[in-house]
Amino acid sequence: MASLKPPFSLQTRHVAQFLLPFPTSRFHSPFTSRGRDYRGFTLQSLASVDPYSLSYRRSHTKRLIASASAQPLTGELVEEKLLDPSTSGDSIRRRFLEFYAARGHKILPSASLVPEDPTVLLTIAGMLQFKPIFLGKVPREVPCAATSQRCMRTNDIENVGRTSRHQTFFEMLGNFSFGDYFKQEAIKWAWELSTVEFGLPAENLWISVYEDDDETFTIWHDKMGVPANRIKKLGEEDNFWTSGATGPCGPCSEIYYDFHPERGHSDVDLGDDSRFIEFYNLVFMQYNKKEDGSLEPLKQKNIDTGLGLERMARILQRAMSHVLNRSFSLLQVPNNYETDLIFPIIKKAADLAYESYSLADESAKTNLKIIGDHMRAIVYLISDGVFPSNIGRGYVVRRLIRRAVRTGRLLGIRRDGVGGLEGAFLPILAEEVIKLSTNIDPDLKTRTPRILEELKREELRFVQTLERGEKLLEEILTDALSTGQRNGTVPCISGKDAFLLYDTYGFPVEITSEVAEERGIGIDMVGFDVEMENQRRQSQAAHNTVKLSVEDGAELTDSIPDTKFLGYDTLFTRAVVEGLLVNGKPVGEVSEGNEVEVLLDRTPFYAESGGQIGDHGLLYVTDAQENKEAVVEIQDVQKSLGNIFVHKGTVVKGLINVGGEVEAEVDANLRQRAKVHHTATHLLQSALKKVVGGETSQAGSLVAFDRLRFDFNFNRPLRENEIAEIELLINQWIGEATLLETRVMALAEAKKAGAIAMFGEKYGEEVRVVEVPGVSMELCGGTHVKNTSEIRGFKIISEQGIASGVRRIEAVAGDAFVEYVITRDNYLKQLCSTLKVNAEDVTARVNNLLKDLREARNEVSSARTKAAIYKASSIISSAFTVGSSSNKITVRNICYASAPNYKTAGWSDGGGTELAAALVFRGSDGGGFVSFIATKTPIFIPIDVAKLRFVGGPAMPSGQGGKGKRVVVPEGRRKPSPCPSFIRKAATELYQAIESISL
């Protein structure tokens, strides 16, 4: 075998893989692993070269691809892909963007996976960042654009790895027109991109159009020359795009690649995944769908397209296949996962599992694909600030992490300390994702430490959960067996329990089924499927809907320009009232006593953004003598409809009109408080990085008038000395009286200079950079002090965890700091006066008081025990004999008794007499306890006290209850005190029950 050679030689720098003897370590036998027969082969490198066969020159590669079979791969796939550089994922992305840039499109960066749009949980489409433009709520900045957008969808998560195309994380290449061009240009360029730029054979391309869209059909057929028999007219469900019940919509047209053109043109189903893949969707957004279902033309016709990068890579990329007869061919990769965008992650996972992907069975390949897909999603979500939790986006990333962990364990990846990560393997795979990230998200590498640490912590925590799940599974199996035996039925695990194990503890239902089958137990798969479907519907509703609507606000943008913000330089200006809203509806005037939203042409008021709350202040109308005829008190300012500032307040005097002029004045004191806290927030972030590590990053903030709040990613509470060091460092910077520098610069230049972006903020091409020289530099649109000395002082008032891996600091600065110190000092003075000690002696005095209190409590407890013993002897003296036996019982109503003391007292009279049973009612004016106390007397052991009728039975009056135990421990619950007739009835039933046993 060692002498086997391929039928042709290869260049040394283009290494292929071949079969050679298999190392026997780490396998069940030299030839098998997990039931698969490897027949003694493994993959090794070939060494020789033929400059013709695998040249990277594009012309030679195209010649090879053209001559190779176009059939999906059926032979054994080699581990290393032999890839034409022009068809790499990075190249496809670059070529797409350059193609549209050459046609006047502005290349824009990918938006975050965390969208600004509150109607969606995650960014699910390339068009999402342009939604306000499509709605007409904000003016377009460019006529057309092109992007490569990172996207997340989890509605089809169960299909990941099982089909050739489903993914949770993917890149959507898109070209967009905002009223610039429409159908003809979009179709022409899509065809040219596909057939010329990417060289796809025209005869392999099929088109779908909306059944009523004759215009699009004509363009494809007459202008592009696509034969009519390769253009399919489909219905509204397939080829009419809508955003929801109302809003922008329009027909769409899709381009499909045919992997099997030899199957002909009759009875073609474009939904056949074994033959077709849809890779380019063109949406012609030309209508607004009204509430009555009618369509009205949009004022601006738009183009929204999406081309799946991974799908195009699957179509273009080829891999060398070998079979045991030593023949080789270049074939299309069989699925999205085996492209260069994902396969390196899969291969790393296979290495950790001591697997060979090409020799693995289908089950193992599916699991490896799941890991490859999920790792990309996990890494990019965490990079964009989404951390594992049990709600919202955090639940999405936690669920993906758990699926990856349990899938890895199925493959045999175990906690064996690989990589020095305490047994966690996800960080190792994440490093592979990060290596591939350069042209997807360049910022990912700077966040590597945080990502790896979060993954390690979450994985190791979940492994503990899995182990708890194993114990729960054992309990469920035991209960199922017990229930089956008791009912005479076949033991079965309920669908709900199987789903609990799956969803909460990470047990695939296949594993649960396998373990149960070994014990002769079935699973209610119908019930499991119902639970799974319920979750899937919730997932689809949460993650796969983009809600767009054309509201009254869209009409306002036609007449109201963006608000000009003057607040960086002044707190006062004269402005024109451009619009008034009451309850969201436009009005012409608003009178005294009414709440109102005021839209101005210019304003000194800061609108809430970047964590800083909106300004407060006044709008007023004056007469010629400067008397205030009308006054509006402003309590909040928000941005809406793009960059229009909405001043929310109440008309406290007079009448305000649209078109009138007002004087706008910001509350200077509150603005100064906000400025102080915002600059202090920047200092806090820098101090955190210096004290606890540069990998910490902001996860949210609030800049208010009375305090600041800063959320940051960190995996443990801050120590007291760290908090003290942070405070000291910030107060030192304040004391240095450093002048701040503020400037506007290009985003790329700012990032290159080291400016930190605020969490969750969206930035344009030009950004405002706020710098405290030598301390911090951040992209920030907020208001700030001119000199750090204005902050005066800084104090952390609390530090706590708010989510897994996320901590929160609350602090005060400036006037709020002074007020805090004065208030705390007053509290301390009052405490010193009460304790009659000096401030420095307060701690010692409080400790002494606590010691005295503990001693007093012990004395009281001892006295109660003695009283209980006396009361117990009193109860025994009133006991009476049951029948002819020597067993005694008693039923008593005792006020103000303590259950723990009865346990201490016991129930012996000191002469050897013991009660067989006692029913004790311990009551007080506020209600009482009902307790059943049983002694350890041997005669009492056979008695099933829980079944005595008076314990929760008919003799118990309304509101009463009881418990039975075989130990001298009072058990009970709060109930109203029993009535005398009930006590007599309970005594009779207890007497009769024990007498019957004695007989």
Side-chain angles (χ1 to χ4, degrees):
M1 289 295 295
S3 63
L4 281 178
K5 295 181 180 179
F8 56 86
S9 58
L10 302 173
Q11 291 186 14
T12 311
R13 59 198 179 101
H14 308 311
V15 179
Q17 301 287 334
F18 203 62
L19 297 175
L20 282 179
F22 216 153
T24 60
S25 63
R26 304 303 297 262
F27 289 99
H28 300 298
S29 78
F31 305 108
T32 62
S33 177
R34 306 182 211 291
R36 291 183 289 282
D37 185 359
Y38 290 117
R39 303 185 187 279
F41 295 116
T42 189
L43 299 171
Q44 296 291 347
S45 300
L46 292 176
S48 53
V49 191
D50 180 341
Y52 171 75
S53 61
L54 290 175
S55 170
Y56 269 138
R57 289 176 297 177
R58 188 170 177 184
S59 61
H60 288 188
T61 307
K62 282 191 172 182
R63 188 181 311 161
L64 272 173
I65 293 173
S67 63
S69 168
Q71 305 301 313
L73 186 61
T74 56
E76 291 293 353
L77 177 67
V78 295
E79 301 290 302
E80 301 293 340
K81 303 294 182 286
L82 304 174
L83 191 65
D84 173 5
S86 68
T87 65
S88 69
D90 287 343
S91 177
I92 294 170
R93 184 190 306 108
R94 175 184 54 77
R95 290 166 65 187
F96 176 92
L97 295 174
E98 290 178 354
F99 177 89
Y100 280 103
R103 287 154 182 79
H105 291 64
K106 177 72 173 178
I107 299 177
L108 297 178
S110 171
S112 168
L113 287 173
V114 180
E116 292 185 347
D117 190 332
T119 69
V120 287
L121 199 63
L122 295 166
T123 298
I124 62 172
M127 56 75 60
L128 198 60
Q129 65 172 305
F130 304 117
K131 172 180 167 180
I133 301 175
F134 288 141
L135 288 174
K137 290 187 174 183
V138 299
R140 68 181 192 182
E141 295 182 2
V142 294
C144 48
T147 65
S148 177
Q149 175 63 52
R150 303 190 299 276
C151 298
M152 268 292 304
R153 294 181 188 173
T154 59
N155 53 302
D156 288 319
I157 191 171
E158 296 303 322
N159 289 323
V160 170
R162 303 182 188 281
T163 70
S164 62
R165 60 182 177 84
H166 282 98
Q167 297 162 242
T168 56
F169 175 88
F170 58 95
E171 284 187 81
M172 188 66 80
L173 306 176
N175 55 288
F176 307 90
S177 169
F178 314 116
D180 183 53
Y181 62 85
F182 202 49
K183 288 183 181 180
Q184 187 155 317
E185 294 86 348
I187 292 172
K188 174 189 174 184
W189 289 335
W191 187 254
E192 184 180 345
L193 176 79
S194 302
T195 61
V196 179
E197 176 62 32
F198 290 134
L200 300 183
E203 60 272 17
N204 285 62
L205 302 183
W206 287 66
I207 308 298
S208 69
V209 299
Y210 179 49
E211 58 189 358
D212 295 335
D213 189 3
D214 294 332
E215 179 186 5
T216 298
F217 184 96
T218 300
I219 296 172
W220 279 116
H221 181 52
D222 296 347
K223 302 290 186 182
M224 299 299 105
V226 180
N229 61 2
R230 292 214 314 272
I231 305 176
K232 290 292 233 181
K233 289 187 174 183
L234 301 177
E236 184 174 340
E237 182 178 349
D238 296 299
N239 277 73
F240 194 92
W241 184 87
T242 60
S243 59
T246 62
C249 57
C252 62
S253 181
E254 297 167 324
I255 308 178
Y256 291 77
Y257 186 84
D258 183 0
F259 291 107
H260 294 281
E262 75 281 358
R263 294 182 185 176
H265 299 76
S266 60
D267 299 325
V268 168
D269 176 12
L270 294 178
D272 180 0
D273 283 352
S274 68
R275 177 174 178 179
F276 296 101
I277 186 170
E278 178 246 315
F279 66 90
Y280 208 167
N281 186 13
L282 316 177
V283 177
F284 310 122
M285 200 181 296
Q286 63 190 99
Y287 300 113
N288 174 42
K289 189 174 184 180
K290 302 171 72 173
E291 289 186 1
D292 61 4
S294 63
L295 302 177
E296 64 178 4
L298 288 174
K299 297 175 182 178
Q300 174 180 291
K301 294 181 178 180
N302 305 302
I303 290 293
D304 162 26
T305 80
L307 183 151
L309 175 61
E310 291 81 3
R311 297 187 182 194
M312 181 58 81
R314 176 194 169 187
I315 294 169
L316 291 177
Q317 292 182 10
R318 302 295 193 273
M320 175 171 287
S321 171
H322 62 74
V323 290
L324 294 181
N325 63 7
R326 309 181 190 179
S327 64
F328 287 79
S329 59
L330 288 177
L331 300 178
Q332 287 169 317
V333 294
N335 51 66
N336 295 0
Y337 307 98
E338 295 181 34
T339 65
D340 71 322
L341 294 164
I342 307 176
F343 191 73
I345 309 164
I346 292 176
K347 187 174 185 305
K348 174 59 73 172
D351 291 344
L352 294 178
Y354 298 95
E355 278 276 13
S356 162
Y357 178 83
S358 64
L359 298 176
D361 61 25
E362 287 307 311
S363 175
K365 283 184 177 180
T366 296
N367 288 332
L368 288 167
K369 291 172 189 174
I370 290 172
I371 292 176
D373 167 85
H374 285 11
M375 285 310 304
R376 294 208 305 167
I378 291 164
V379 168
Y380 285 104
L381 281 170
I382 295 177
S383 175
D384 280 350
V386 182
F387 291 88
S389 71
N390 289 328
I391 58 173
R393 301 181 183 101
Y395 176 71
V396 174
V397 72
R398 171 161 286 171
R399 184 184 179 199
L400 292 172
I401 288 173
R402 291 183 169 189
R403 286 191 102 232
V405 171
R406 72 185 183 226
T407 304
R409 288 168 68 88
L410 279 175
L411 287 165
I413 303 176
R414 287 291 184 264
R415 299 173 59 188
D416 55 1
V418 176
L421 293 167
E422 302 172 20
F425 68 88
L426 294 190
I428 300 171
L429 298 177
E431 290 175 338
E432 199 66 36
V433 178
I434 293 166
K435 289 179 187 177
L436 301 172
S437 70
T438 303
N439 296 308
I440 304 174
D441 180 8
D443 295 330
L444 191 63
K445 291 185 178 179
T446 64
R447 301 165 185 151
T448 295
R450 181 182 68 182
I451 293 169
L452 300 185
E453 180 62 31
E454 186 64 34
L455 281 174
K456 183 183 78 172
R457 181 171 57 254
E458 185 70 13
E459 179 181 348
L460 296 182
R461 180 184 294 137
F462 179 54
V463 167
Q464 295 175 348
T465 301
L466 277 174
E467 291 169 354
R468 290 195 297 270
E470 291 170 357
K471 296 178 181 178
L472 176 61
L473 174 59
E474 182 59 32
E475 292 176 7
I476 291 172
L477 292 171
T478 301
D479 288 346
L481 284 170
S482 176
T483 302
Q485 291 171 359
R486 187 166 55 249
N487 299 333
T489 59
V490 176
C492 184
I493 296 176
S494 71
K496 185 169 289 188
D497 282 343
F499 186 77
L500 173 69
L501 288 165
Y502 165 80
D503 193 51
T504 303
Y505 294 96
F507 277 75
V509 70
E510 296 84 2
I511 295 299
T512 303
S513 178
E514 182 179 331
V515 175
E517 187 178 351
E518 292 174 355
R519 305 273 287 273
I521 301 172
I523 292 183
D524 175 14
M525 289 305 301
V526 173
F528 176 84
D529 291 339
V530 168
E531 297 291 332
M532 180 68 76
E533 183 60 29
N534 289 338
Q535 186 194 66
R536 184 178 290 113
R537 280 200 302 269
Q538 294 170 0
S539 179
Q540 288 174 334
H543 306 311
N544 202 32
T545 303
V546 182
K547 296 181 180 177
L548 301 178
S549 59
V550 179
E551 303 166 349
D552 293 335
E555 299 174 5
L556 287 174
T557 59
D558 294 337
S559 57
I560 297 178
D562 287 349
T563 310
K564 185 176 182 181
F565 177 60
L566 307 175
Y568 292 135
D569 304 312
T570 182
L571 299 182
F572 175 86
T573 191
R574 299 187 70 84
V576 175
V577 178
E578 297 283 357
L580 296 171
L581 301 171
V582 174
N583 297 323
K585 301 295 183 181
V587 296
E589 63 180 26
V590 183
S591 59
E592 183 176 324
N594 291 298
E595 294 184 354
V596 65
E597 296 178 342
V598 185
L599 313 179
L600 303 175
D601 66 332
R602 56 179 59 204
T603 184
F605 285 81
Y606 183 83
E608 181 176 332
S609 62
Q612 181 175 331
I613 65 174
D615 281 328
H616 291 194
L618 297 173
L619 303 179
Y620 46 87
V621 180
T622 59
D623 59 18
Q625 287 74 42
E626 298 297 321
N627 297 315
K628 296 179 180 178
E629 293 183 333
V631 178
V632 182
E633 185 176 321
I634 302 300
Q635 292 97 21
D636 187 22
V637 185
Q638 297 286 331
K639 284 185 182 180
S640 183
L641 307 174
N643 201 36
I644 296 175
F645 286 36
V646 181
H647 305 73
K648 301 183 178 184
T650 304
V651 181
V652 296
K653 178 182 178 182
L655 185 74
I656 186 170
N657 298 279
V658 173
E661 192 175 76
V662 298
E663 296 180 4
E665 184 175 6
V666 174
D667 186 315
N669 178 55
L670 295 181
R671 166 66 78 83
Q672 180 64 18
R673 283 171 168 261
K675 288 163 59 177
V676 162
H677 281 136
H678 206 149
T679 306
T681 300
H682 287 206
L683 299 182
L684 173 58
Q685 178 159 224
S686 293
L688 275 167
K689 289 181 177 294
K690 286 183 177 294
V691 173
V692 301
E695 70 276 6
T696 58
S697 61
Q698 181 180 346
S701 69
L702 171 68
V703 176
F705 304 133
D706 60 338
R707 72 192 190 285
L708 68 88
R709 187 178 72 208
F710 187 80
D711 300 340
F712 61 102
N713 301 303
F714 202 55
N715 57 10
R716 61 170 175 81
L718 294 181
R719 304 182 182 96
E720 288 187 9
N721 66 303
E722 290 172 332
I723 292 175
E725 187 177 351
I726 289 169
E727 290 178 335
L728 178 62
L729 190 56
I730 293 173
N731 283 304
Q732 285 178 347
W733 288 334
I734 293 170
E736 290 171 359
T738 303
L739 287 170
L740 273 71
E741 297 178 4
T742 303
R743 58 191 182 276
V744 176
M745 56 199 303
L747 177 60
E749 182 184 350
K751 287 187 175 181
K752 186 175 181 181
I756 298 174
M758 299 289 281
F759 175 81
E761 286 297 294
K762 182 178 180 180
Y763 301 97
E765 292 187 20
E766 288 195 336
V767 292
R768 184 170 181 263
V769 178
V770 176
E771 181 179 8
V772 182
V775 177
S776 87
M777 178 189 292
E778 297 192 19
L779 309 182
C780 184
T783 61
H784 290 270
V785 299
K786 294 182 179 179
N787 189 300
T788 57
S789 62
E790 295 178 43
I791 301 175
R792 300 166 69 188
F794 175 90
K795 179 68 179 176
I796 293 175
I797 59 178
S798 70
E799 190 275 338
Q800 61 184 332
I802 59 170
S804 175
V806 181
R807 310 293 301 176
R808 170 172 290 172
I809 285 177
E810 292 201 7
V812 289
D815 287 351
F817 164 78
V818 174
E819 292 164 359
Y820 176 82
V821 171
I822 291 174
T823 301
R824 295 294 286 262
D825 185 60
N826 287 335
Y827 289 150
L828 182 59
K829 286 178 180 177
Q830 292 173 17
L831 186 60
C832 290
S833 175
T834 301
L835 297 177
K836 295 181 173 54
V837 295
N838 295 324
E840 58 271 19
D841 298 325
V842 166
T843 301
R845 178 61 176 146
V846 169
N847 286 335
N848 287 334
L849 288 174
L850 289 174
K851 180 181 177 182
D852 293 344
L853 179 61
R854 285 192 295 270
E855 291 175 352
R857 284 176 173 171
N858 289 337
E859 291 176 1
V860 170
S861 178
S862 177
R864 285 178 175 173
T865 299
K866 292 177 182 177
I869 293 173
Y870 173 80
K871 181 65 69 174
S873 62
S874 173
I875 291 173
I876 290 175
S877 66
S878 66
F880 54 90
T881 303
V882 180
S884 59
S885 71
S886 61
N887 295 307
K888 291 186 176 183
I889 66 169
T890 187
V891 177
R892 293 289 300 274
N893 185 16
I894 306 172
C895 294
Y896 306 109
S898 169
N901 287 332
Y902 278 108
K903 179 180 179 180
T904 304
W907 293 99
S908 173
D909 64 356
T913 302
E914 285 188 321
L915 294 178
L919 185 64
V920 180
F921 302 94
R922 294 176 285 113
S924 66
D925 293 340
F929 288 91
V930 179
S931 296
F932 181 81
I933 298 110
T935 72
K936 297 176 182 176
T937 307
I939 187 64
F940 183 68
I941 291 175
I943 301 176
D944 189 355
V945 295
K947 293 184 177 179
L948 291 179
R949 285 198 302 126
F950 63 82
V951 182
M956 194 70 69
S958 176
Q960 300 300 325
K963 292 184 178 180
K965 293 290 180 182
R966 298 188 181 201
V967 293
V968 192
V969 179
E971 293 280 349
R973 47 182 174 169
R974 181 73 58 184
K975 296 292 180 185
S977 296
C979 59
S981 62
F982 167 65
I983 295 176
R984 288 193 296 272
K985 179 67 173 175
T988 300
E989 292 208 11
L990 180 62
Y991 180 92
Q992 292 173 348
I994 295 181
E995 184 179 37
S996 64
I997 293 173
S998 300
L999 296 175

